[in-house]
Amino acid sequence: KNEAMDFDDLLLKAVELFKKKPEVLNSWRKKLTRVFVDEWQDTNKVQYELTKLLVGKSKNITAVDTAGSVGRFTSLVLDANQYGQIAYYDENSNPPILKFVKCANLDCTVKSITNIGSALYIFDFDDEPNAIALGEDGFPRIAYRSGTDSNGAIQFVECRNTDCSLKNIESPHSSSSGGGASSSFLDLDSSGLARIVYFDSMDYTVKLAKQNW
């Protein structure tokens, strides 16, 4: 009537399209070789059916962590074997815990999960409070917002082994306030040192932090 659809309509129409037009479904299956689903524990029937259609016979989907409210603010990088290395929020505690998953195979059915540290609780789903990269040693580097600092100061994690059970955590800018590490981006330079770009709402500026800060 109004030539408009809500979110539920989009899901239903997608399922309907894929069932009626297998050639369209197959084209999407070729594009999506792996499927990652956030908040899997909250998946409803239509979402589950859509996921099953997209995955098809390959069944390339894995619920990495399903214990309560998990999976928010997910960052992903692939290692040399194309295995996922994932950082995400576990909000079953207050403050939330930033966790790191090291996948040991392509579909992440074999994995290790390590608690990194307390992270700042964030209401804005559009925020990107954490970021991940891999060093030349193959060990993760992670930036996130502290949950033990009232200002939500930016934190940098230098993992000392592949599952990050050994690590060093530093504060590049301990005075950052509010959205201190909001919309943070992390990369490594040619010498392997971290560069972090983030928004600091203390003075409403974009800042660049270089390791050896």
Side-chain angles (χ1 to χ4, degrees), residues 94-116:
N94 186 18
I97 297 173
L98 182 74
K99 288 186 173 183
F100 168 71
V101 176
K102 173 179 170 51
C103 299
N105 56 3
L106 284 174
D107 58 11
C108 208
T109 52
V110 180
K111 57 186 175 289
S112 61
I113 301 178
T114 302
N115 291 352
I116 300 300

Side-chain angles (χ1 to χ4, degrees), residues 35-43 51 59-67 70 86 88 101 103 107-111 113:
V35 177
F36 183 90
V37 182
D38 188 13
E39 302 282 358
W40 178 256
Q41 72 278 0
D42 294 330
T43 304
T51 303
K59 298 182 180 179
N60 287 332
I61 183 169
T62 302
V64 175
D65 189 348
T66 60
V70 293
I86 307 165
Y88 66 97
V101 176
C103 299
D107 58 11
C108 208
T109 52
V110 180
K111 57 186 175 289
I113 301 178

Side-chain angles (χ1 to χ4, degrees), residues 23-48:
E23 67 276 12
V24 176
L25 175 58
N26 288 333
S27 69
W28 277 101
R29 283 177 175 170
K30 291 177 182 178
K31 294 177 182 178
L32 304 176
T33 57
R34 293 291 184 275
V35 177
F36 183 90
V37 182
D38 188 13
E39 302 282 358
W40 178 256
Q41 72 278 0
D42 294 330
T43 304
N44 61 32
K45 184 177 180 181
V46 176
Q47 292 168 337
Y48 176 69

Side-chain angles (χ1 to χ4, degrees), residues 78-83 106:
L78 300 179
D79 66 12
N81 296 312
Q82 299 299 297
Y83 300 164
L106 284 174

Side-chain angles (χ1 to χ4, degrees), residues 7-20:
F7 181 68
D8 290 335
D9 293 328
L10 293 172
L11 294 173
L12 288 168
K13 289 298 182 181
V15 170
E16 182 180 314
L17 172 65
F18 287 156
K19 287 182 175 180
K20 288 183 177 180

